[in-house]
Amino acid sequence: MSIIQPNILVFSPMQTDVETYAESIRNNGFMSVKTATTLDEVEKYLPGTEVILGWNFPTHLLSKPIASSVRWFQSMGAGVNDLIEDKSIPEFIILTRIVNQFGTYISEYVFSFLLYIVKDNPRMRQSQMERRWDPFISETLKGKTIGVAGLGSIGAEIVRKARVFDMNVHGLSFSGKQASLVDCHFTPDQLSEFVKDLDYLVLTLPLTDSTHHIMTRDLLLAMKPKACLINVGRGLLIDEENLISVMQSGHLQTAILDVFETEPLPKDHVFWTMPNVFVTSHLSGPSTIEGVSSFFIGNLKRFLSEQPLHGLVDRKRGY
């Protein structure tokens, strides 16, 4: 029997965010909504809660008696490796993540950097600053080969935009379901073959046991010396020590990194000062309040009508 008006708890460390989420949910007819930003508030409101919309939630509480009524946890983000790793979360709690929300943002992020590099914008800007007339012929993305590791909704949008720039597109995925999107498709046992001819490698993979440090030293060295590596997936996809060593040896032209093994990136980390590394603050694919609210409300309606939820997490697969 479906729940008519579920008790919903919205959690985020940001007070403004939770109130905005709650208001959006109530505006869609679901009135039993509580908000929490602290551990004490979670412990106060968990009893009787059936649905949680959360970010950085204290998941250890989900195994306690006070959380026995919880049936579904909706993450505010796409990455759920922290939820997967927490074996204390009861199996009967459904886990979902945000999907189909980040492709536009992340693909624009990727191509803003690729165009910046291939058109040599720094040279043009420097010429302006020096008031120096400096005509030159830049390179083009046309005919370059881009490889997208991970062909979910984000990877698929990067592929679509690469087509607009007349690039050769290679892809790697575990399932092969989206193999038809790319010119050449590779499986995980073909990693070295996949990376060896790429001008640009974009990582959009989820973090699982099989993708942890998937970019090994040998794989980095298998890439073309002038290739560019872009990571918009998860920081732990790359062994950072090996990446630093490989790049300091002169191999790889550029690394564009939005995610890191430790976040925030420590102030003394060498990435900050490496001239061929671009560091950004895990901002390529933002979880907007409007987007997350819309996704959650759609899923909430599916939950109440006992339809399969979007973004359902497969704990065995890891995402």
Side-chain angles (χ1 to χ4, degrees):
M1 181 177 178
S2 61
I3 302 168
I4 302 303
Q5 273 284 328
N7 295 316
I8 302 167
L9 176 61
V10 180
F11 177 86
S12 169
M14 302 293 291
Q15 178 70 38
T16 304
D17 287 0
V18 295
E19 295 302 334
T20 305
Y21 282 121
E23 181 180 3
S24 178
I25 295 167
R26 293 186 187 108
N27 287 342
N28 279 270
F30 302 99
M31 305 311 295
S32 184
V33 184
K34 300 255 187 334
T35 62
T37 61
T38 67
L39 181 62
D40 287 345
E41 288 176 339
V42 172
E43 291 177 329
K44 177 181 178 181
Y45 295 128
L46 256 183
T49 291
E50 288 128 353
V51 177
I52 297 172
L53 172 63
W55 180 253
N56 288 335
F57 189 86
T59 53
H60 67 279
L61 293 178
L62 295 177
S63 61
K64 307 295 185 183
I66 59 171
S68 61
S69 58
V70 176
R71 294 294 175 265
W72 166 36
F73 184 99
Q74 169 72 61
S75 171
M76 292 179 183
V80 289
N81 50 287
D82 56 333
L83 300 178
I84 295 295
E85 291 169 2
D86 189 344
K87 304 304 181 184
S88 68
I89 299 176
E91 289 288 334
F92 64 79
I93 295 180
I94 300 168
L95 302 178
T96 54
R97 64 192 184 98
I98 302 295
V99 295
N100 302 322
Q101 293 253 327
F102 307 107
T104 296
Y105 283 99
I106 292 180
S107 61
E108 288 179 359
Y109 170 95
V110 168
F111 279 94
S112 71
F113 277 101
L114 296 194
L115 289 168
Y116 181 86
I117 292 166
V118 80
K119 293 304 177 185
D120 202 351
N121 282 22
R123 175 174 173 175
M124 289 186 274
R125 187 61 176 169
Q126 187 63 34
S127 297
Q128 179 182 345
M129 291 174 65
E130 296 174 0
R131 303 187 183 192
R132 176 170 48 86
W133 193 255
D134 179 32
F136 67 96
I137 299 174
S138 65
E139 292 188 68
T140 177
L141 292 178
K142 182 178 181 179
K144 294 286 197 307
T145 301
I146 186 171
V148 182
L151 295 175
S153 60
I154 295 169
E157 184 60 21
I158 293 170
V159 168
R160 192 181 74 84
K161 285 188 168 62
R163 296 292 188 200
V164 175
F165 288 104
D166 298 317
M167 303 180 77
N168 303 314
V169 186
H170 295 184
L172 177 142
S173 67
F174 284 72
S175 69
K177 293 178 181 177
Q178 297 278 60
S180 61
L181 292 179
V182 296
D183 301 318
C184 297
H185 181 265
F186 299 83
T187 54
D189 60 333
Q190 299 173 302
L191 272 168
S192 295
E193 185 70 16
F194 169 59
V195 304
K196 71 181 182 67
D197 295 323
L198 302 178
D199 297 299
Y200 309 103
L201 170 58
V202 186
L203 304 177
T204 70
L205 293 164
L207 180 60
T208 66
D209 290 342
S210 58
T211 63
H212 183 276
H213 283 180
I214 194 170
M215 293 304 297
T216 62
R217 179 180 179 84
D218 288 344
L219 202 58
L220 292 167
L221 290 172
M223 296 176 68
K224 293 163 68 171
K226 295 299 182 183
C228 173
L229 173 65
I230 305 103
N231 189 10
V232 289
R234 287 291 176 262
L236 284 166
L237 298 176
I238 300 174
D239 186 319
E240 290 182 357
E241 287 189 9
N242 285 333
L243 178 59
I244 292 165
S245 174
V246 166
M247 295 195 72
Q248 288 180 335
S249 74
H251 194 80
L252 300 183
Q253 179 186 20
T254 313
I256 298 161
L257 307 174
D258 186 50
V259 288
F260 304 89
E261 290 186 321
T262 301
E263 296 183 4
L265 188 67
K267 292 184 181 296
D268 60 352
H269 200 290
V270 68
F271 279 155
W272 291 111
T273 56
M274 291 178 68
N276 53 348
V277 173
F278 291 89
V279 171
T280 58
S281 307
H282 201 151
L283 49 73
S284 64
S287 294
T288 65
I289 293 178
E290 180 182 4
V292 170
S293 296
S294 176
F295 185 91
F296 176 65
I297 290 162
N299 247 359
L300 189 55
K301 292 175 181 177
R302 297 179 71 84
F303 179 73
L304 294 178
S305 60
E306 299 182 346
Q307 298 180 57
L309 302 183
H310 293 310
L312 192 65
V313 173
D314 184 328
R315 300 185 195 219
K316 292 182 179 179
R317 187 176 60 179
Y319 58 94

